[in-house]
Amino acid sequence: HKGIKATIIPIDASGDKTGAIDKTSTQQLPLAIQGVDFTGALDEALADGIVDVVVHSLKDIPPANRWRINTDEPRITIGAYLGPRENPLDVLVSREYESIESLPVGGKVGSASLRRQAQLLACRPDLEVMNIRGNVDARLAALDRGELDGLVLACAGLKRLGIPLDDNTIYKCNPIPADVLLPGAGQGIIAVTCRENDATTISLLREVDHHDNRIAATTERSFLDSVDHLSPWSGRPPVAGLMTPPASGEELWHFRGLLATPDGKKVLTVNKSLNNNNCNEAAALNLGRIAAADILTKAGDNFFDGYYKL
């Protein structure tokens, strides 16, 4: 943008530096797992005026009621969604296996995401889901040591790190279909946050905002925020959501949302659509809230009995 001088300020925002693996059996999942805080240091720098904008992977931003920085002023808002969206799907990374279905009986799969763990076990209850954290290199090293049969990672993250999803790598990297593993809300979208009271920056960010990403992000985040906020359980539930634009020659946006128990024994889904002619931010926000209300009605008050303490 002409007339604007920008300086990039690196901030260590790592939510987990250990890279350690803890075995997580199908009977002993971390049911009330606390989310890793990937945004806290960045949020504080923004609120304190050290920086004016922060660039995030949208899926790392917590649900609204868990976004701790917004309990105080100045509040933080998402000013722009940069586009186009990367592939939102998750990927199975393995040295031998090309799909979840092809993994061996009792196979070991690495993931620190409760959303992924629940859906993996719903599809393959025989699998051992290993709670693996750390950066991508640390996770791939565990795969190289033979401690895992596969890893589940975000396709977008691998691409942004320059890891090829083709035959030019020692790993088999195959996207997992959304009907097997529905992505997390906002996966594949880059979000830029700013202070809510910074009207000048908000105006500038609107110039680079990507319309389709705003529609998808608003729907998915609305669903996530509503389920997380309205659910009667103290633990953060496994939630997934994906809003896709109309295919060529079609007029409908399609949203699919999911709520599951951590062990994958109970999985609920909801499907909604929105006509492209009526597709604006307000309509997207409303669609996500309606989908959340529907899935919570299906779940009822006893869906998580035995999983979370109220």
Side-chain angles (χ1 to χ4, degrees):
H1 195 287
K2 290 183 179 180
I4 296 179
K5 182 180 179 181
T7 302
I8 297 176
I9 301 178
I11 297 174
D12 184 0
S14 175
D16 188 344
K17 302 182 182 69
T18 64
I21 297 179
D22 294 313
K23 183 174 179 180
T24 302
S25 74
T26 55
Q27 287 77 35
Q28 295 177 324
L29 290 170
L31 301 183
I33 190 170
Q34 295 297 315
V36 178
D37 185 3
F38 289 107
T39 70
L42 297 165
D43 292 338
E44 290 171 7
L46 183 56
D48 292 342
I50 297 171
V51 297
D52 297 302
V53 297
V54 171
V55 180
H56 291 283
S57 292
L58 179 58
K59 71 179 181 66
D60 290 339
I61 297 178
N65 68 307
R66 298 179 194 269
W67 202 357
R68 293 180 300 180
I69 197 69
N70 279 341
T71 59
D72 300 308
E73 299 289 342
R75 293 175 64 85
I76 305 301
T77 188
I78 298 173
Y81 300 97
L82 306 184
R85 186 178 198 169
E86 287 284 2
N87 188 336
L89 297 180
D90 289 310
V91 173
L92 177 66
V93 182
S94 176
R95 282 182 166 273
E96 299 180 54
Y97 306 103
E98 297 186 349
S99 67
I100 300 299
E101 294 79 8
S102 68
L103 288 165
V105 175
K108 297 178 174 62
V109 182
S111 174
S113 162
L114 201 58
R115 169 188 62 84
R116 290 171 179 150
Q117 290 174 353
Q119 293 184 81
L120 285 169
L121 292 174
C123 176
R124 289 282 308 272
D126 61 290
L127 295 176
E128 282 193 73
V129 180
M130 315 289 283
N131 188 2
I132 179 171
R133 297 189 181 276
N135 61 31
V136 171
D137 287 339
R139 301 182 193 205
L140 291 175
L143 192 63
D144 293 339
R145 293 192 298 268
E147 297 172 11
L148 303 167
D149 295 299
L151 279 168
V152 178
L153 301 169
C155 179
L158 291 176
K159 289 186 69 175
R160 289 177 184 133
L161 290 172
I163 298 175
L165 303 179
D166 53 32
D167 294 334
N168 297 318
T169 175
I170 60 174
Y171 306 106
K172 298 180 185 295
C173 301
N174 291 285
I176 305 170
D179 60 354
V180 175
L181 193 56
L182 194 65
Q187 190 158 300
I189 295 176
I190 294 295
V192 184
T193 59
C194 62
R195 291 179 293 278
E196 199 172 65
N197 61 5
D198 187 350
T200 300
T201 299
I202 290 174
S203 178
L204 290 170
L205 289 176
R206 280 290 179 170
E207 295 182 26
V208 296
D209 192 51
H210 189 279
H211 173 268
D212 283 5
N213 275 1
R214 179 163 288 275
I215 296 300
T218 299
T219 307
E220 294 167 21
R221 291 283 300 181
S222 173
F223 176 77
L224 172 65
D225 290 346
S226 297
V227 171
D228 198 83
H229 177 69
L230 295 175
S231 64
W233 316 289
S234 58
R236 182 171 172 179
V239 179
L242 180 64
M243 180 72 152
T244 54
S248 178
E250 295 186 359
E251 292 294 327
L252 295 179
W253 286 72
H254 294 283
F255 175 75
R256 181 176 178 82
L258 177 144
L259 175 65
T261 54
D263 58 9
K265 291 182 178 179
K266 292 190 281 187
V267 178
L268 299 176
T269 58
V270 62
N271 294 280
K272 299 291 180 183
S273 60
L274 186 63
N275 193 289
N276 198 41
N277 294 328
N278 304 318
C279 198
N280 53 46
E281 189 171 4
L285 185 71
N286 190 52
L287 185 74
R289 289 173 175 169
I290 291 173
D294 285 356
I295 209 165
L296 287 171
T297 297
K298 288 182 182 179
D301 294 337
N302 301 320
F303 189 71
F304 281 116
D305 278 4
Y307 292 95
Y308 295 106
K309 292 182 179 179
L310 297 178

